[in-house]
Amino acid sequence: MMYYSRLRMASVIGVCLIGLALCLPNFIRQPSPSLPWRQIHLGLDLRGGSYLLLQVDMASVATDRLRGLQDQTRQTLLKAGLGYRNLATGPHGVTFTPRTPDETQPDLKALRAMPMNTPGEFKVEEGEGGQIALTLSPDAARQRAYDAVTQSIEIVRRRIDATGAIDPEITRQGEDRIIVELPGISDPERVKNLLGTTAKMTFHLVADSAIGSSVPPAGVEMLPMSDGQGTLPVFSHVDVDGADLTNASASIDQDGGEWAVNFTFDSTGAQEFGDVTRANVGKRFAIVLDNKVIEAPIIHTAITGGNGQITGGFSAQQATDMALLLRAGALPAPLNVIEQRSIGPSLGADSIRAGGYSLAAGFVLVIAFMALFYGRFGWYANIALLANLVLMTAILSLFEATLTLPGMAGMLLTLGMAVDANILINERIREEVARGRSALQAMQAGFERATATIVDSNATALLAHVMLFVFGTGPVRGFALTITIGIVTTLFTTLLLSRMLMVRWYARTRPSTLPV
C-alpha cells in the first residue's frame, strides 16, 4: 500500500500535467486558430445576457389538431364517394350529419379505418339526431400537448444556434413553458422575433371563384396578405406541407434583383409539389406562412425538381431570417413571451469579482489551516488541493461547460470536502502514532482505515449530486455538475497524489517520527 512504482508515479504526475495544460486556454489567448482551444464559458449570471420565459399556446395545439381531423374527415368521405352535411369542429372533436340515413354505416366504416397518430387517438360514434361524432381522447390530447412542448424546445434550440448565440440554456418548466437563457446577448429583440414566429408554411390553391364573396363557401377561408393589401380566398385543404422542406437559403433574384428565399423539398414533398402543379396549370398557387399569404403566383408549368423561390419585397435581413426559420422547422404552436429580463455585463463582472474573491479567500484560509495544524503533511495536502482545483477546471474546460455562480459555489464547497478527506487521513495517522506504532506502520494504517470512510462518504455524495444533475434545471445543474466533478478529482488527489508525496518523502528521509 505504501509502495509506488515508477509507472504509477508517472501516471499520477502525467494526469496532473495534462490537467494543467487543459487549464491554460482559460488564462491565455489562442496562439493559432487551428489549435484546439477549449474553455469554460460563463453563464448568464456571470457574463450578462437575456432571460426569456416562453409559453406554448396549447389552445392553438388543440385547434390545429381539430382542423386537421376535420380536413381528414372531409377527404376520407369524398374519396369513399360519401357526402356530408354540417361538418364542424367542437371543443373535443368533429361532428357532421350523413347525406342520407343509408350512408351512416358506410360513413362509420370509412372513418374508423382512418389512420391515427397514436393508438386510440379518437373514436367514431353515432350520436343523437343521426349525427356522427369523432371525439379526441383526453390521453391523446395530453400526449400531443407534451410532444408539442418537446418539439418546440428542439426547434427553439435550432433557431438560436443558427443565430450564433454561444452556450444558450434552453430548459422546460412545468407543462407548457420554456426557459431560454442567452449569455452575452443584452438586446434579444431579433431572437425574440425569431422565436415568436411559428414559421408554418403551407401551399394552397386559390379559390378564384370566391374572390369578392363576402361569405366564403365551405372548404374555403379568407387569409390576409402579408403586405396588408386585402385578403385572398384559398382552399382550406393543404396541397403541399412546408414540413417536407429540407433546405432554404436567401439570395438575390436574378430577374428582379430583389432578395428572395430559395427552398428545396425532400422526395415526398417534391412529388406532391410536382403532382399539384402538373394538375393545376394556369391556376394560382398561394404560399402561406403563419396564416398570411406571401404571394400567389400562377402555375405556368409543372415544377418537378422539388425547388422553388419566394419573393415578396424582402430586405436582406428578412430573407435571411425567413430562410433560417424554414430550415429550423415550424413550431407546432405559437410561443408567447411572458417574462423577459436583461442582465448587464457590469453586473456579471461584479458577480465574477465577488465569486473570485470568495474562492481565493476560502482557498487561502484552507491552506493556512492545513499548514498550521498538520505541518509538512498539511503542505502535501495543500499541493493536492491545488491540483484538485486545476483538475476540476481542466475537466470543465474539456467539455466546454458553462460556469454559473452556483457552479463557483460548488467549486468552493469541493475544496472544503477535499480538506475533510485529508484531515481524516492525518487524524488517523496521529491516532496510530499515539498508539505507539512506527512511522511506516502509522502511515499505512492511517491510509487504510481512512480510505474506506472517504470512499463511502464521497460515493453517497456522488450519487446524490448525480441525481440532482439529472433531475435539476438551470443553476441547480451547474452546482451539481461542479460538485460531481469535484468528488472525482478529490478522490484522485487525496488517495493518489497526496499519498504519493508522503510516500516519496518517507522513502527519501526514513524519519523515526512523523510531522503530524
Side-chain angles (χ1 to χ4, degrees):
M1 290 294 292
M2 299 306 294
Y3 172 73
Y4 265 67
S5 65
R6 291 185 177 180
L7 177 60
R8 194 176 182 185
M9 286 191 295
S11 300
V12 173
I13 295 173
V15 170
C16 295
L17 292 177
I18 291 173
L20 184 60
L22 291 174
C23 282
L24 292 179
N26 295 290
F27 305 104
I28 61 177
R29 292 185 178 180
Q30 187 175 8
S32 172
S34 61
L35 189 67
W37 212 249
R38 294 179 174 270
Q39 296 175 305
I40 295 176
H41 299 293
L42 300 180
L44 185 68
D45 49 1
L46 297 179
R47 187 180 175 187
S50 297
Y51 169 96
L52 298 173
L53 180 60
L54 310 173
Q55 186 174 39
V56 180
D57 188 349
M58 290 302 183
S60 177
V61 174
T63 300
D64 286 348
R65 182 61 189 116
L66 289 174
R67 287 179 178 176
L69 186 60
Q70 182 185 31
D71 187 62
Q72 190 179 6
T73 301
R74 179 187 295 110
Q75 297 300 320
T76 299
L77 294 176
L78 293 178
K79 287 180 181 179
L82 303 169
Y84 58 85
R85 291 184 291 115
N86 302 324
L87 179 64
T89 59
H92 306 291
V94 175
T95 58
F96 72 94
T97 304
R99 184 169 50 186
T100 63
D102 295 338
E103 289 187 351
T104 298
Q105 292 305 317
D107 285 346
L108 293 172
K109 182 178 179 180
L111 295 176
R112 285 169 180 165
M114 285 196 312
M116 300 183 183
N117 295 330
T118 57
E121 182 187 15
F122 58 83
K123 58 182 179 180
V124 183
E125 297 175 322
E126 182 179 1
E128 298 179 359
Q131 274 195 336
I132 293 178
L134 291 84
T135 307
L136 292 171
S137 72
D139 290 341
R142 283 192 293 270
Q143 183 61 41
R144 188 172 184 84
Y146 180 87
D147 293 342
V149 178
T150 303
Q151 184 182 355
S152 297
I153 291 174
E154 181 58 31
I155 292 172
V156 165
R157 190 182 308 279
R158 292 204 296 263
R159 290 184 181 183
I160 291 178
D161 288 345
T163 65
I166 299 175
D167 294 319
E169 184 74 21
I170 303 168
T171 55
R172 183 178 193 140
Q173 185 187 70
E175 295 183 354
D176 60 350
R177 294 185 177 186
I178 302 171
I179 295 175
V180 179
E181 295 182 354
L182 304 171
I185 298 180
S186 58
D187 183 14
E189 286 305 316
R190 180 176 175 236
V191 174
K192 192 165 68 172
N193 291 335
L194 291 176
L195 299 182
T197 303
T198 308
K200 184 176 182 180
M201 177 172 282
T202 53
F203 298 80
H204 305 250
L205 288 170
V206 176
D208 289 319
S209 60
I211 293 179
S213 175
S214 57
V215 180
V220 176
E221 53 185 324
M222 304 295 293
L223 296 181
M225 302 296 293
S226 61
D227 58 4
Q229 303 296 319
T231 59
L232 189 69
V234 301
F235 288 102
S236 301
H237 174 66
V238 177
D239 292 288
V240 182
D241 196 336
D244 296 324
L245 289 172
T246 59
N247 193 23
S249 60
S251 65
I252 297 179
D253 182 22
Q254 299 298 324
D255 297 330
E258 61 179 352
W259 280 94
V261 177
N262 301 310
F263 58 87
T264 305
F265 284 106
D266 59 15
S267 57
T268 302
Q271 182 176 353
E272 292 178 353
F273 201 72
D275 292 343
V276 171
T277 53
R278 186 183 298 108
N280 295 278
V281 174
K283 297 182 180 179
R284 298 172 70 190
F285 202 31
I287 303 172
V288 179
L289 180 68
D290 291 344
N291 291 322
K292 291 184 179 180
V293 179
I294 299 176
E295 58 179 343
I298 297 175
I299 303 173
H300 295 289
T301 183
I303 304 173
T304 57
N307 299 314
Q309 187 181 76
I310 305 171
T311 58
F314 304 124
S315 65
Q317 187 66 65
Q318 289 172 333
T320 301
D321 288 348
M322 180 178 289
L324 184 157
L325 293 171
L326 295 180
R327 286 196 305 271
L331 290 167
L335 294 177
N336 302 315
V337 179
I338 60 176
E339 184 180 349
Q340 174 181 341
R341 297 199 304 265
S342 292
I343 300 175
S346 59
L347 181 59
D350 292 340
S351 300
I352 295 174
R353 192 179 303 109
Y357 287 160
S358 62
L359 192 60
F363 191 73
V364 169
L365 290 174
V366 167
I367 287 178
F369 173 84
M370 294 301 294
L372 180 64
F373 279 84
Y374 297 106
R376 178 182 290 272
F377 284 3
W379 282 109
Y380 290 157
N382 289 335
I383 294 173
L385 198 64
L386 180 61
N388 192 359
L389 186 59
V390 169
L391 290 176
M392 263 198 300
T393 307
I395 295 175
L396 291 171
S397 301
L398 182 63
F399 293 102
E400 296 185 309
T402 300
L403 184 64
T404 61
L405 273 176
M408 295 184 72
M411 295 178 74
L412 185 58
L413 180 58
T414 298
L415 297 180
M417 294 168 62
V419 168
D420 288 343
N422 283 283
I423 289 175
L424 280 174
I425 292 172
N426 288 320
E427 288 297 331
R428 282 289 187 180
I429 293 175
R430 276 183 175 177
E431 290 177 4
E432 299 303 324
V433 169
R435 290 177 181 177
R437 290 180 181 266
S438 66
L440 181 60
Q441 290 175 336
M443 288 176 61
Q444 184 165 347
F447 269 108
E448 287 178 353
R449 295 185 178 184
T451 296
T453 304
I454 293 170
V455 171
D456 289 345
S457 62
N458 280 278
T460 54
L462 179 66
L463 291 174
H465 287 91
V466 167
M467 292 299 100
L468 201 61
F469 179 80
V470 171
F471 297 106
T473 59
V476 175
R477 286 171 63 91
F479 176 79
L481 177 63
T482 53
I483 292 290
T484 302
I485 294 173
I487 290 172
V488 176
T489 57
T490 294
L491 291 174
F492 174 82
T493 56
T494 302
L495 301 181
L496 293 177
L497 180 59
S498 63
R499 178 182 294 191
M500 184 192 75
L501 294 173
M502 295 166 73
V503 167
R504 291 308 302 163
W505 168 80
Y506 180 85
R508 188 176 65 255
T509 61
R510 299 289 179 175
S512 57
T513 58
L514 296 178
V516 290

